[in-house]
Amino acid sequence: MIKLIGQRVALSCATLLIVSAIIFVSTEVLPGDVATAILGREASPARLAALREQLGLDRPALERYVEWLSGALRGDFGTSLARPNVAVGQLIAERLRNTVLLSISAAVIGLPLALGLGILAGLLRDRTPDVVISSLALIGMSLPEFVIGSLLILTFGVSWAILPAVTVAPPDAPITALLPNLILPAITLIIVMVAYILRMVRSSMIDAMASDYVQMATLKGMSRTRVVLRHALPNALLPTINAVALTVAWLIGGVVVVETVFNFPGIGRLMVTAVQDRDLPLVQALGLLGATLYITINLSADLLTLWLSPRLRARVV
């Protein structure tokens, strides 16, 4: 067991190293010139050359990659190119709070709702509640996030005007000032999240209820409630751990589309701004942060699944 955990952790670290190289190379091959983007097209060649030397762009790419990676391991991502003398870590910290707040708000409501609806639909397969829940889930899965967000803005922000359509508060605004702006983005995330997760929970619940051990428990005279809670439910929820982990990674990693639609000052919106400003240190840091969160959450889900599943533990042993 310990050996397997060590192998999974080592594989995750190797994956993160490869991803860091891909992120660095991808930003290096972006079209255009950073010095020209900062100084403008009318800047003289001498000023452009001096800025490239100041930013270290005249050095070999491998040398700059090693320096950037070593700094990232220490939590130092350098300074922003679009905002001189402002540390990249400072920009990320103030936006990360907002994205985490939005993600937690959506997850606290969305995950229990998705699990509850999925279990209900699986237990009442092909009945009216199942048909209604599954139909709504298919609609939620079919609509892109920007369409759902736009419909919510049109309904609650324009037609009824009871909620803020977009966020106008600055990134460092107090949480109390951001709370009204959380409602519509959180609802958008909840709709998408619930639609995906409940479909998987429903499918797992149907398979569990049709399994041999559930049939045997029923033949032994156990009540339906006990059969569901003791035998079907634990086995139905186990396969959904990875789906929940992927959803959480998607939420925390920065919901670019949702934050852009609602102008919410989070990590996703910061990424769009960084790409527009060609702020390479910020783009690289955000990409590495998202990859780290994604890999860490998936590793945690794999280890949790292994710990909760006796059959998997027996195979390892």
Side-chain angles (χ1 to χ4, degrees):
M1 183 69 176
I2 297 177
K3 182 180 179 181
L4 180 62
I5 293 176
Q7 291 175 348
R8 295 288 179 89
V9 173
L11 180 61
S12 298
C13 293
T15 303
L16 187 59
L17 180 62
I18 295 173
V19 170
S20 69
I22 294 175
I23 291 172
F24 186 85
V25 172
S26 300
T27 54
E28 286 291 311
V29 299
L30 286 175
D33 178 60
V34 177
T36 304
I38 295 175
L39 297 178
R41 296 184 179 275
E42 298 180 355
S44 63
R47 291 186 61 194
L48 293 174
L51 182 58
R52 292 191 189 99
E53 182 179 358
Q54 178 184 350
L55 298 177
L57 299 177
D58 57 336
R59 292 183 296 162
L62 181 59
E63 179 182 342
R64 287 186 284 115
Y65 168 70
V66 173
E67 181 180 352
W68 170 72
L69 185 59
S70 62
L73 293 175
R74 300 191 306 268
D76 180 13
F77 295 98
T79 58
S80 170
L81 299 182
R83 304 165 183 83
N85 300 324
V86 178
V88 170
Q90 178 183 344
L91 293 173
I92 294 177
E94 65 182 14
R95 299 295 187 102
L96 184 61
R97 180 206 66 170
N98 300 334
T99 295
V100 170
L101 181 62
L102 175 60
S103 301
I104 291 177
S105 302
V108 167
I109 299 174
L111 291 179
L113 183 61
L115 295 176
L117 292 176
I119 293 170
L120 179 63
L123 293 175
L124 301 177
R125 180 184 182 183
D126 296 333
R127 300 182 188 177
T128 301
D130 177 36
V131 173
V132 174
I133 293 173
S134 299
S135 300
L136 293 176
L138 288 175
I139 295 174
M141 294 173 62
S142 303
L143 294 177
E145 294 93 331
F146 71 90
V147 173
I148 298 175
S150 299
L151 291 175
L152 291 176
I153 290 174
L154 181 62
T155 303
F156 298 101
V158 178
S159 299
W160 294 351
I162 58 177
L163 292 172
V166 294
T167 305
V168 295
D172 58 348
I175 294 179
T176 54
L178 287 174
L179 288 180
N181 302 280
L182 281 174
I183 299 177
L184 293 184
I187 292 176
T188 304
L189 296 179
I190 289 170
I191 291 174
V192 177
M193 177 173 54
V194 169
Y196 279 96
I197 295 180
L198 81 82
R199 292 285 298 175
M200 179 166 289
V201 174
R202 174 186 179 272
S203 178
S204 298
M205 198 67 192
I206 291 174
D207 293 339
M209 292 299 295
S211 62
D212 294 337
Y213 53 85
V214 169
Q215 299 297 329
M216 180 62 68
T218 303
L219 291 175
K220 288 182 178 180
M222 291 186 182
S223 64
R224 180 174 175 82
T225 301
R226 187 178 180 185
V227 169
V228 171
L229 295 179
R230 185 172 180 178
H231 296 280
L233 190 57
N235 291 279
L237 294 181
L238 191 61
T240 66
I241 292 178
N242 287 326
V244 172
L246 289 174
T247 303
V248 173
W250 168 67
L251 288 173
I252 300 179
V255 192
V256 178
V257 174
V258 174
E259 291 185 353
T260 302
V261 169
F262 293 96
N263 195 40
F264 190 79
I267 292 295
R269 181 60 185 163
L270 182 62
M271 172 63 85
V272 174
T273 304
V275 173
Q276 292 174 344
D277 296 340
R278 199 173 171 78
D279 196 342
L280 296 188
L282 184 55
V283 173
Q284 292 169 346
L286 291 172
L288 187 61
L289 174 64
T292 302
L293 290 171
Y294 190 88
I295 292 173
T296 301
I297 292 175
N298 277 278
L299 174 62
S300 302
D302 288 340
L303 297 179
L304 181 60
T305 302
L306 183 64
W307 180 61
L308 293 176
S309 176
R311 287 178 296 180
L312 291 178
R313 290 202 305 269
R315 292 177 185 177
V316 172
V317 175

